[in-house]
Amino acid sequence: MPNKAAPFDTLDRQIVAALTENGRASFAEIGAAIGLSSTAVKRRVDRLRETNVITGFSATVRPAALGWLTEAYVEVYCDSAAPPRRLAEVVRNHPEIAAAMTVTGGADALLHVRARDVEHFEEVLERIRTEPFIRKTISYMVLSHLLPDSPEAGARRPATPAAAPDSAAIQR
Amino acid sequence: MPNKAAPFDTLDRQIVAALTENGRASFAEIGAAIGLSSTAVKRRVDRLRETNVITGFSATVRPAALGWLTEAYVEVYCDSAAPPRRLAEVVRNHPEIAAAMTVTGGADALLHVRARDVEHFEEVLERIRTEPFIRKTISYMVLSHLLPDSPEAGARRPATPAAAPDSAAIQR
DNA sequence: AGTGAAATTCTCCGCGA
DNA sequence: TCGCGGAGAATTTCACT
């Protein structure tokens, strides 16, 4: 069911671009750049949020600075017909999984995993392998990023998951 | 090379967690949650930015809402010894590449590609294949995300690249 | 390091074109 | 939908502990 056709014009696009580049830019600042008043910008941003074009705001963090030094992509192979629903549950049980999706090709799913170090990664991998219908995994360790400024080089999730690297954990 | 002694305590971690969850949270709000004044929070955030723990702020956008409906991971195989430096240049030439990294395993690099649709993706793939020392590519199309709330399901970069799809309808 | 206060700027309303 | 204007918050800087 298609939602109501929301008029998504150039102005909206420019606003999204501005907030993508700087999520804390003020409405006045954005307005000055695209020729709109701050109130008009606010109204549009509110609408973009209500229609879930913009789903939130977040600080971009360099995981390495927080002690997350290891990263890998993991192909997951499941038994026979593995229901994606159950796979999703499994994925949510492991906070080190930063992203997960079903994909075409031999594997049933591809996971993006962040860990503190290689030992931690190994532990995560064993934990995942223990899950019911996981048959095998193939890991590709990330060596270096070719787009350091990309969203995925820095991440937002690592701040939250379970055990934080050094000492103190995050209380919640 | 160890960084200069950066005192990174529990308070900093809590601030990062708060800004990761809500990048537009006010300093006062964060301060109230962790027992600090807004000024103290601001100073710490400024320091976190200067030390590149926090590299920026950004709106989280749902690419599908902007008309980026197709997504894939692409393994890239290069001729003989392909210099990562040149590979990085190549990657920067294609705005549809949201992330790129060198990895262990058979492939030389793994690319995260976003395109408007399958035709567009094919066009991107052919463009990449045309590059000098790219020998072959293997693509894994993303079918569905198992962690819808993850940073990578939504993206920041798609707002900018080349031609944006015409007025996209908002749909789920 | 932290707090508090003052000046500036921004956000968030309602109202009118 | 836009812009204007005012009340209330937030940001930013400064002085002090």
Side-chain angles (χ1 to χ4, degrees), chain A residues 35-46:
Chain A
L36 228 51
S37 72
S38 62
T39 35
V41 173
K42 182 203 184 313
R43 266 196 296 261
R44 281 171 178 261
V45 171
D46 287 343

Side-chain angles (χ1 to χ4, degrees), chain A residues 5 11 27 34 37 50 68 89 98 110 120 124 136 140 172:
Chain A
L11 256 17
F27 299 139
I34 68 177
S37 72
E50 276 167 19
W68 300 88
E89 291 173 29
L110 184 62
H120 182 202
V124 173
K136 76 165 181 177
Y140 302 91
R172 195 174 244 292

Side-chain angles (χ1 to χ4, degrees), chain B residues 73-95:
Chain B
Y73 283 85
V74 180
E75 286 185 348
V76 172
Y77 294 77
C78 298
D79 284 330
S80 60
R85 293 184 59 95
R86 296 236 26 206
L87 206 47
E89 290 174 27
V90 167
V91 161
R92 275 192 290 271
N93 287 338
H94 306 274

Side-chain angles (χ1 to χ4, degrees), chain B residues 15-35:
Chain B
I15 290 171
V16 169
L19 286 174
T20 297
E21 197 176 314
N22 176 12
R24 295 200 84 149
S26 74
F27 299 141
E29 190 178 338
I30 298 169
I34 67 177

